[in-house]
Amino acid sequence: MTKYLIVNADDLGLSAGVSRGILESHLHGIVTSTTAMINLPQAADAIRQAQQTAPRLGIGLHVTLTYGAPVLPPALVPSLVQPNGHFHSLETFKTHNSWLNAAELRAEIRAQFRRFVQIAGRLPDHLDAHHYAAYLNPDAFDMILRLAAQYRLPLRSAETHMTLEAMQQVFIGRGYPAHIVASLPQAILEIYETNARPQWPDITEREFYHEGANLENLLHILSHLREGITELMCHPGYIDDLPDEGYRTPRLVEKQALVHPAVREVVEREGIRLINFGQLPATANV
């Protein structure tokens, strides 16, 4: 089998600097794909610029439920927002996860999907989720699985978490309260079992992040890449105009690593084929 690699840069549209860093990491590095935070003010310009300057860059939808304001008017999704009309923070989402209104979650996710199509003029080439929030709520997870099936779109893989023990460890590791850990993992697994199996890569590589976001670790990951289809999650970007959203300095380090000549050398030496999610159907059975 061949080693296929999707290098997906999350958070297109988070800020002008982040979007610029993503585009440079594609044009001068190994990034092949990105996902847009379509609910943010910068997203429309970022998508259009990517389409104009980087036509080979895959663009997906980064479903967002924990940052910025919803696409729908806040009055239509009151359980999802704070009094200021913005989504609950990630920490509040954890404690309120089981209280969120199912119809409001579904409506907002569909609205984000439609906004993407309206701006891009086409479907996203895949779906994933900011902070994994849409994977960690049964109604949100059901909605993205249904969208993926309806439009035949791939997702970022969560295959390795689809056992009760693994899912519980995800919730525990992310600091969810005990009453959430006791109920939602099983509910999410039931959603997974009752929906059509999604198309997603064989492996999602998450270690190029935070303390692991450096050139040495990236070279190690690429040198030990397994056969099949891997998605490498990354977050490159410039941070001069980035609001305080919890992940700043590593973005610049990631950007510098992704465009380093040594990275391209390893890709070529290892025979790694760089693809985007839009090319998955052609490679899934190879």
Side-chain angles (χ1 to χ4, degrees), residues 24-25 28-31 208 214-216 218-219 222 253-267:
E24 289 185 10
S25 298
H28 307 296
I30 64 167
V31 165
F208 183 59
N214 56 70
L215 176 61
E216 181 180 6
L218 179 58
L219 294 173
L222 295 174
V253 179
E254 287 191 33
K255 189 267 174 185
Q256 293 167 339
L258 289 161
V259 302
H260 197 284
V263 170
R264 179 66 70 173
E265 291 173 5
V266 172
V267 167

Side-chain angles (χ1 to χ4, degrees), residues 8 72 77 109 112 174 186 189 197 216 225:
N8 189 84
L72 291 174
V77 287
I109 293 171
Q112 290 187 24
R174 289 174 175 266
Q186 183 61 51
L189 292 178
R197 286 293 183 271
E216 181 180 6
L225 202 71

Side-chain angles (χ1 to χ4, degrees), residues 130-210:
H130 191 54
H131 294 147
Y132 284 92
Y135 287 74
L136 300 178
N137 175 281
D139 299 300
F141 189 45
D142 184 65
M143 189 71 241
I144 63 171
L145 288 176
R146 288 177 181 274
L147 284 171
Q150 180 179 354
Y151 295 100
R152 299 182 180 179
L153 299 176
L155 295 177
R156 171 170 289 164
S157 179
E159 179 69 33
T160 57
H161 299 144
M162 291 300 150
T163 68
L164 183 57
E165 181 179 0
M167 187 63 69
Q168 288 172 334
Q169 289 304 311
V170 169
F171 277 91
I172 291 169
R174 289 174 175 266
Y176 279 76
H179 73 279
I180 298 288
V181 177
S183 60
L184 287 195
Q186 183 61 51
I188 289 168
L189 292 178
E190 290 173 2
I191 292 295
Y192 178 66
E193 291 298 330
T194 56
N195 274 281
R197 286 293 183 271
Q199 181 186 21
W200 48 28
D202 304 311
I203 304 160
T204 300
E205 174 57 65
R206 300 177 174 88
E207 297 303 316
F208 183 59
Y209 183 70
H210 215 317

